Structures are given as structure tokens and as C-alpha cells.
Amino acid sequence: MSPTVHEIRNSIRAATGRFEREFEASFTKEELQAICEVLKITVDEAGRPSTTRMRRQIRVQVGIAESLETADDSTFRKAELQAIADGVGASFDP
């Protein structure tokens, strides 16, 4: 059985030093920043990066998009979350 989107998000949270959530929730700005840190993405907006830019940078870093200009800035889909989980070294325990 494949993991749910919620389970994948929580494995990413755990791999980036964040708390797992009991209920389904997309990533907060702080969680996106933690993912960027683990992926060694330099956030260049004076400490207050936008969530849309961080999503684009994450997509480029893990190979989902070729460039910031072509990257989607919407919330992550399941296949994208799996690529991010691989990128941050998240493990999944069913």
C-alpha cells in the first residue's frame, strides 16, 4: 500500500526536524523554510521569503521543474511530495 499525502508530508516534516501533524495540513512557511535548509537552498529575500518562491525553489532543487520561471508555485501534489521526501532523505514507516 502506498503512503498517503498526509503520511508523506509528515515524513518530510520529521526529516527536517519539524513536528508531525495529527491532521491533514499543507506545509507552513516555517516548514517550507526547513525544507529549503535541508536541501541547501539559499533563500535570498532578507529573511522573509515568500511561500510561492520557496515552493518554486524546492521544485527546481529536487528536479520537478527545470527553472524558477517554469516551476509551479501551488501546493505540492503527491508525486512532488515523494520527490521532496527523497530529496530530504525522509523515510516512510507504514
Side-chain angles (χ1 to χ4, degrees):
M1 186 169 95
S2 70
T4 66
V5 167
H6 178 65
E7 291 167 330
I8 298 168
R9 275 196 197 106
N10 272 341
S11 69
I12 293 168
R13 286 182 177 108
T16 59
R18 297 295 183 195
F19 293 103
E20 293 183 18
R21 295 182 179 259
E22 189 173 331
F23 300 101
E24 179 81 23
S26 59
F27 293 123
T28 64
K29 189 172 194 171
E30 291 77 19
E31 289 167 335
L32 289 172
Q33 286 177 298
I35 293 168
C36 287
E37 286 174 22
V38 170
L39 293 174
K40 300 194 183 333
I41 296 170
T42 303
V43 181
D44 57 10
E45 293 181 28
R48 298 192 61 80
S50 71
T51 55
T52 55
R53 181 164 179 84
M54 285 188 287
R55 285 190 196 111
R56 286 181 175 150
Q57 290 176 304
I58 291 166
R59 283 183 167 98
V60 171
Q61 187 70 19
V62 299
I64 296 167
E66 290 185 24
S67 70
L68 285 176
E69 293 75 28
T70 62
D72 187 3
D73 62 8
S74 64
T75 57
F76 299 112
R77 292 172 207 63
K78 186 173 184 177
E80 294 172 324
L81 289 169
Q82 289 173 320
I84 295 164
D86 290 342
V88 299
S91 61
F92 173 73
D93 267 336

